[in-house]
Amino acid sequence: MHEMGARALKLGIPLSVQLDLTCRCNERCIHCYLDHEDHGEMTTAEIKGLLDQLADAGVFFLILSGGEIFLRKDLFEIVEHARKLLFSVKLKTNAVMIRKAKAERIARLGVESVQISVYSHKAEVHDAITLLPGSFKRTIEGARLLKAAGVKVSFANVLMQHNADDYPEVQALAQSMGAVYHVDATITPMMDGDRSILDLNVEPETLEQVFRDATLVGNVEEFCAPPAGPLAEPDAMDTLPCSAGHTACYVSPYGDVYPCVQFPLPSGNVRQTRFLDIWKNSPELKEVRSITVSELQGCSKCVHGSSCSRCPGLAYMEGNMRGPLVQDCEKSYARTGVASWNLLQKKAAAKAAPAAAPSPAPQPIVWMARRPDL
């Protein structure tokens, strides 16, 4: 995999693509960064045509997500087409709609794995987050049916104030079922720029506990890890901040292309331009590719520079894709107990001007564009 990533990076190949099939969902999770309206989803024919283009471009890993993918009646037709094109397919779902027949069909299609969102081992906590009564019971039943059919299952456990203390039991539940477990301590802003849901983030003490929990080594999910490039560790300052736009990208249900699902920089639309032309020629993607660790404002001076999980997409939503990201500075501090350059600067500024006016709110981001005919 390391060699494969390095070759893809050198050749400019989009090795991995996440394609969201819909924003519609049967849950209304309190931390979700999407709206759940249908602004003109791509048709079955459009999606199958896009899959053909992705295959021609060299894509190998295909993540199908949403919204809730099982709300698309053509889901299995899409998955079948993807498997005929020999993609390694991963599905993301809440598993509420999975029954035995669907689980067995997923297994027959050779889907690589299915990632399921599980927020707590307590039904009342999980359901309070999804706002769908009975969702925990149905989610766990769906996971068990997939495991019984021989499908690899992973639990994605997003932490927030509502479930911060439940992750050890969710991890134990995953282990008891033979599922892989990942915990994610990052709440993502709404894609329209609304940052109010960041109030759901766990307290610093909990974050420190998570990142220093020995049982979670290798299980703390970083949404967008640095690509496995050809550079050695001493060259860290010249490496790329992450794989977004380099060996991976995201396509919305409306055909909009972005560097990553957490990097809402509009870079083209496959309804108007072929995917490979967007990948090669998009000015926005070229701008993202021009960034190296050495030129990140503040980050190049930071002791965590070569190990930080900084997400340029979230930094972009914070106002500057070349600037530091507060959330990841806090993660680095939780891991090591050493404050980053950015946190030290903010602390010094707070001491110097404790009554300073708050920073202006970030401008809303134009994210999922509607079809012009809608």
Side-chain angles (χ1 to χ4, degrees):
M1 288 302 301
H2 179 87
E3 181 181 351
M4 193 175 185
R7 291 183 65 188
L9 182 62
K10 185 176 181 179
L11 297 172
I13 293 174
L15 188 61
S16 176
V17 168
Q18 175 171 323
L19 169 60
D20 278 5
L21 300 178
T22 181
C23 285
R24 293 174 290 130
C25 192
N26 47 7
E27 296 181 335
R28 289 294 182 270
C29 296
I30 59 175
H31 64 290
C32 187
Y33 51 82
L34 299 172
D35 73 41
H36 295 299
E37 301 300 323
D38 179 357
H39 300 300
E41 298 169 0
M42 287 187 284
T43 65
T44 308
E46 285 178 311
I47 291 175
K48 291 168 76 172
L50 172 60
L51 294 181
D52 292 339
Q53 292 181 43
L54 297 181
D56 290 341
V59 175
F60 180 67
F61 298 104
L62 178 67
I63 302 169
L64 298 178
S65 184
E68 175 46 53
I69 57 175
F70 281 93
L71 289 178
R72 291 229 21 163
K73 295 180 179 179
D74 57 357
L75 174 63
F76 281 110
E77 183 178 353
I78 292 169
V79 176
E80 286 172 356
H81 191 71
R83 292 297 293 130
K84 286 178 182 177
L85 294 170
L86 302 181
F87 288 113
S88 173
V89 177
K90 177 180 180 179
L91 305 180
K92 291 187 177 183
T93 175
N94 56 39
V96 165
M97 298 176 67
I98 292 179
R99 299 294 182 266
K100 183 178 180 181
K102 288 180 179 177
E104 292 175 346
R105 192 171 180 184
I106 290 171
R108 288 196 301 271
L109 284 169
V111 168
E112 171 61 26
S113 64
V114 177
Q115 178 179 298
I116 300 172
S117 298
V118 181
Y119 301 109
S120 175
H121 64 298
K122 302 173 184 174
E124 64 274 17
V125 175
H126 179 96
D127 293 0
I129 291 173
T130 66
L131 302 183
L132 178 64
S135 59
F136 175 78
K137 181 176 183 292
R138 293 166 66 182
T139 288
I140 298 304
E141 286 176 352
R144 293 190 189 281
L145 289 170
L146 287 166
K147 286 297 299 180
V151 178
K152 295 178 184 176
V153 172
S154 65
F155 283 4
N157 185 192
V158 178
L159 294 189
M160 60 199 85
Q161 293 182 16
H162 295 63
N163 65 345
D165 297 325
D166 293 352
Y167 76 85
E169 286 80 8
V170 179
Q171 183 181 27
L173 177 61
Q175 291 173 344
S176 72
M177 294 175 57
V180 177
Y181 174 78
H182 293 292
V183 64
D184 183 359
T186 302
I187 301 296
T188 301
M190 293 287 291
M191 288 302 186
D192 63 2
D194 183 355
R195 304 180 66 81
S196 61
I197 61 173
L198 296 184
D199 292 340
L200 296 173
N201 271 313
V202 297
E203 298 297 329
E205 296 78 12
T206 303
L207 194 63
E208 180 178 328
Q209 177 185 341
V210 169
F211 279 103
R212 299 188 186 186
D213 188 334
T215 69
L216 294 178
V217 173
N219 289 334
V220 179
E221 184 169 274
E222 301 298 353
F223 193 91
C224 199
L231 299 176
E233 186 67 23
D235 301 316
M237 295 302 284
D238 294 323
T239 58
L240 308 171
C242 88
S243 59
H246 295 278
T247 59
C249 70
Y250 164 70
V251 183
S252 82
Y254 316 116
D256 298 306
V257 177
Y258 303 93
C260 172
V261 68
Q262 288 194 163
F263 200 153
L265 174 66
S267 304
N269 187 288
V270 296
R271 281 173 157 160
Q272 296 143 15
T273 309
R274 286 186 60 81
F275 173 81
L276 192 56
D277 291 334
I278 295 172
W279 179 259
K280 289 183 175 180
N281 302 319
S282 165
E284 294 80 10
L285 290 180
K286 288 182 178 180
E287 174 69 11
V288 170
R289 290 169 190 149
S290 71
I291 305 172
T292 59
V293 171
S294 60
E295 67 177 80
L296 296 178
Q297 297 166 13
C299 300
S300 59
K301 304 176 183 178
C302 181
V303 66
H304 303 297
S306 64
S307 62
C308 180
S309 61
R310 174 190 175 276
C311 173
L314 294 181
Y316 168 74
M317 295 185 74
E318 209 170 85
N320 182 5
M321 72 171 76
R322 283 180 163 82
L325 172 65
V326 171
Q327 282 178 285
D328 280 319
C329 292
E330 291 171 346
K331 285 183 184 180
S332 292
Y333 182 73
R335 287 190 189 97
T336 66
V338 178
S340 69
W341 179 89
N342 184 41
L343 287 183
L344 291 174
Q345 291 295 109
K346 286 185 174 296
K347 186 175 181 180
K351 284 184 177 181
S359 301
Q363 295 183 353
I365 295 167
V366 178
W367 187 54
M368 291 186 172
R370 296 179 181 228
R371 280 174 43 185
D373 58 329
L374 292 179

